[in-house]
């Protein structure tokens, strides 16, 4: 078998070229390009890690700002509620003063009106008594033909009004 004999003769040169090719690949790619690729990957990982840390810090600052905002908002609401309560209290006091003044004015008007009514009622009653006394004196004169005195007629009318 001559082919096997030829293989044995070229075996050593094939191993030489194989080692030379692998050595070239190892030195060029393994020692030249891989560190560069690895450096790029490490730089990318470092940038991603830095960006994530910056994002976490930004979230923490945002959370602190939100907490501060909520505290200030709560304080503002409490201050507004206090001002509103004070304004309501002052308005209620002012309303009470105005109502008291209005009540006093109305009470004065009512008292004056009641006094006028009393005066008018007394005057009307006196007028009624006078008219009734005159009417009674005229009736007595027509019926009996006797002239009654004013005092007698007034006394009779007063007695009739008092007893109903």
């Amino acid at each position: 078998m001559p082919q096997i004999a030829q293989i044995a003769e070229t075996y050593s040169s094939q191993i030489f070229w194989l080692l030379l090719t692998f050595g070239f690949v190892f030195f060029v790619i393994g020692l030249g390009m891989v560190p560069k690729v690895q450096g790029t990957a490490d730089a990318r990982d470092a940038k991603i890690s830095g960006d994530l840390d910056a994002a976490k810090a930004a979230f923490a600052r945002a959370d602190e700002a939100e907490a501060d905002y909520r505290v200030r908002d709560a304080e503002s609401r409490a201050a507004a509620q206090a001002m509103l309560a004070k304004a309501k209290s002052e308005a209620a006091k002012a309303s009470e003063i105005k109502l008291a003044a209005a009540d006093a004015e109305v009470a004065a008007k009512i008292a004056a009106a009641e006094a006028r009514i009393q005066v008018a009622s007394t005057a009307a009653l006196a007028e009624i008594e006078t008219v009734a006394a005159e009417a009674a004196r005229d009736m007595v004169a027509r019926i009996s033909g006797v002239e009654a005195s004013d005092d007698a007629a007034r006394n009779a009318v007063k007695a009739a009004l008092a007893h109903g």
Side-chain angles (χ1 to χ4, degrees):
M1 285 217 217
Q3 292 93 358
I4 293 181
Q6 250 183 352
I7 291 177
E9 291 174 8
T10 60
Y11 183 69
S12 60
S13 72
Q14 287 177 346
I15 290 177
F16 169 76
W17 286 109
L18 179 68
L19 288 176
L20 184 69
T21 303
F22 280 131
F24 175 77
V25 168
F26 174 75
F27 284 110
V28 170
I29 293 180
L31 296 179
M33 293 177 81
V34 169
K36 289 180 183 176
V37 171
Q38 188 65 35
T40 303
D42 290 341
R44 184 193 61 175
D45 289 343
K47 176 147 177 55
I48 289 172
S49 177
D51 290 346
L52 287 175
D53 291 340
K56 286 178 184 177
F59 278 125
R61 284 191 309 271
D63 288 342
E64 289 173 5
E66 182 180 3
D68 289 343
Y69 169 76
R70 289 181 190 242
V71 167
R72 280 183 278 136
D73 186 43
E75 289 171 353
S76 296
R77 285 180 190 262
Q81 291 293 333
M83 287 175 50
L84 182 63
K86 182 180 176 184
K88 281 183 179 180
S89 173
E90 290 174 358
K93 287 178 184 176
S95 293
E96 287 177 17
I97 291 170
K98 286 181 182 177
L99 284 175
D103 283 345
E105 184 180 334
V106 168
K109 286 181 180 180
I110 289 173
E114 286 176 349
R116 284 193 312 271
I117 290 171
Q118 184 64 32
V119 168
S121 177
T122 304
L125 188 58
E127 184 67 28
I128 289 173
E129 285 178 5
T130 303
V131 170
E134 289 175 5
R137 202 174 44 166
D138 287 343
M139 282 193 274
V140 166
R142 281 189 190 165
I143 295 174
S144 67
V146 175
E147 285 290 325
S149 69
D150 280 339
D151 290 336
R154 282 188 192 278
N155 289 337
V157 168
K158 283 183 183 181
L161 288 176
H163 295 290

